[in-house]
Amino acid sequence: MATASVSEENRALLHRVLEVGVRIGLVALLGLWCFQILRPFIQPIVWGIVIAVAVHPVYSGLERAMGGRSRSAAALLVLGTLLILIGPTVALTASLVETAANLAGGLHDGGLSIPPPPAFVSTWPIIGEPLHAFWAQANSNLEAALEQIAPQLKTIGMWLVSTGATTGIGIVKFVISILIAGVLLANGRRGASAVRSLATRLVGDRGGELTDLARATVQSVTRGILGVALIQSLLAGVGLLAAGVPAAGLWALLVLMLAVMQLPTLLVLGPSIAYVFSTSSVEIAVAFGIWATLVGLADNVLKPLLMGRGVDVPMLVLFMGAIGGFMLDGIIGLFTGAVVLALGYTLFTAWLEVGGGAADAPPAPGG
């Protein structure tokens, strides 16, 4: 009898285990299937969430001004964002394509000429003399100068082609992300409630606190880092286009990358100033030099105004996030990488502080 009872219990246990395994397998299969369907949209969705969180204070003010009409406020904000960002971006991209076409045509028919180098280039530290010598050779014999750097030109050309392709895809994804952000803003209250509930289920009573910290981090990084970088890039692009600098779109893109990585944008704008001084009139060169210098120093003024207080993310985290995101996902990864890594760093630091506080706390009486 005892053996029969044990056998029945084993069969019942095996049946429950199999039933649970089948249920888990079906849930996992459904989750994997959903992930495969949504995988092309994951990046725009993530960036849409970041944009929605970053511009929510502006959206709230606009919603109040429009009498609480959330959908109209979201639509107006999306339209304004598209007009402000997409127009200059398309212009800079068109400039890059046109410059590449003109450069290729000039190299093919031999009509490309390089102006002589300014005398002050040779006085630059470390790179001044070799750069002046190469520039002078390019002025007198362009083919011989290009032969010296043929491998580098091939690498740069391949990078430009891939960057141009990813830039076009990135612009499309960015537009989709802005539209997603508009939908999220129009339904922001329900979304915020769902996020808080999920955070509470995951980490307990501190879910609301960590949610507020995540929101503050995203707003701080997007406004104080990415927002400033985007403003500097657009202003630099406008100045480069006005001064007639070739490949203005490429230089504006490099300014954007340096600004996101917290590196001096004058590394790009400095040589551009030298080029304008060597090819344009003194008035245009001086005006562009002043404009470029102000753009390069603008982050010192804009960051304190746009970056929220109380959120301190090391420059190394932003640098690694921007580089890693760019290598992983192209142009849009430049933004998402910095934000996601900064958010992960902040939440991990907060978790360590909570754990350290719990570990260092004195034992309870009678414990």
Side-chain angles (χ1 to χ4, degrees):
M1 293 293 293
T3 303
S5 176
V6 171
S7 179
E8 288 292 334
E9 291 179 358
N10 289 338
R11 282 197 295 269
L13 178 61
L14 179 61
H15 177 74
R16 288 195 297 271
V17 169
L18 290 175
E19 184 176 359
V20 170
V22 170
R23 291 179 180 178
I24 293 176
L26 290 176
V27 170
L29 179 62
L30 179 61
L32 179 61
W33 198 354
C34 292
F35 174 78
Q36 293 292 337
I37 294 173
L38 293 175
R39 186 169 60 177
F41 303 97
I42 288 178
Q43 191 181 62
I45 289 174
V46 171
W47 188 230
I49 295 172
V50 170
I51 294 175
V53 173
V55 303
H56 188 268
V58 179
Y59 165 76
S60 299
L62 187 61
E63 184 184 23
R64 287 192 298 269
M66 299 181 67
R69 289 178 290 180
S70 58
R71 294 186 178 181
S72 299
L76 183 60
L77 185 60
V78 167
L79 181 60
T81 304
L82 290 175
L83 291 176
I84 292 173
L85 296 180
I86 300 304
T89 302
V90 172
L92 290 173
T93 304
S95 171
L96 176 60
V97 173
E98 181 182 0
T99 302
N102 294 337
L103 181 61
L107 289 174
H108 183 267
D109 58 21
L112 183 66
S113 60
I114 303 297
F120 63 83
V121 173
S122 60
T123 62
W124 292 354
I126 302 176
I127 65 171
E129 292 186 2
L131 178 60
H132 187 276
F134 179 79
W135 195 336
Q137 184 182 17
N139 171 251
S140 59
N141 190 347
L142 181 59
E143 293 184 0
L146 292 179
E147 288 179 359
Q148 294 182 10
I149 58 172
Q152 292 82 356
L153 287 177
K154 182 178 180 181
T155 302
I156 294 174
M158 295 177 62
W159 180 81
L160 285 175
V161 171
S162 62
T163 301
T166 57
T167 300
I169 297 174
I171 292 174
V172 174
K173 288 183 177 181
F174 196 55
V175 172
I176 296 174
S177 301
I178 293 175
L179 297 177
I180 292 174
V183 175
L184 294 175
L185 287 171
N187 301 274
R189 292 181 179 86
R190 285 184 293 178
S193 177
V195 170
R196 285 183 173 275
S197 299
L198 178 61
T200 302
R201 292 288 299 272
L202 291 175
V203 298
D205 296 336
R206 299 184 62 90
E209 179 183 345
L210 292 180
T211 301
D212 293 337
L213 178 61
R215 174 184 54 79
T217 301
V218 171
Q219 290 183 349
S220 176
V221 174
T222 51
R223 291 188 308 211
I225 303 299
L226 304 185
V228 172
L230 194 59
I231 291 173
Q232 285 184 289
S233 175
L234 292 177
L235 292 178
V238 170
L240 291 166
L241 286 173
V245 177
L250 174 61
W251 307 128
L253 175 62
L254 293 177
V255 168
L256 176 65
M257 294 176 63
L258 291 177
V260 172
M261 292 183 292
Q262 303 298 285
L263 296 176
T265 56
L266 290 176
L267 293 175
V268 172
L269 295 177
S272 301
I273 295 174
Y275 173 83
V276 175
F277 265 98
S278 64
T279 57
S280 302
S281 64
V282 176
E283 293 79 6
I284 295 177
V286 170
F288 176 74
I290 295 174
W291 177 267
T293 303
L294 292 176
V295 170
L297 300 176
D299 58 336
N300 296 322
V301 177
L302 293 175
K303 281 181 183 178
L305 295 176
L306 298 179
M307 181 174 284
R309 297 180 179 179
V311 178
D312 185 18
V313 179
M315 186 184 72
L316 181 60
V317 174
L318 298 172
F319 179 84
M320 294 175 63
I323 292 294
F326 181 74
M327 294 176 63
L328 182 64
D329 295 317
I331 297 299
I332 198 170
L334 187 70
F335 300 99
T336 55
V339 173
V340 171
L341 198 61
L343 177 60
Y345 169 83
T346 303
L347 294 178
F348 181 71
T349 303
W351 176 72
L352 289 179
E353 291 177 353
V354 172
D360 298 336

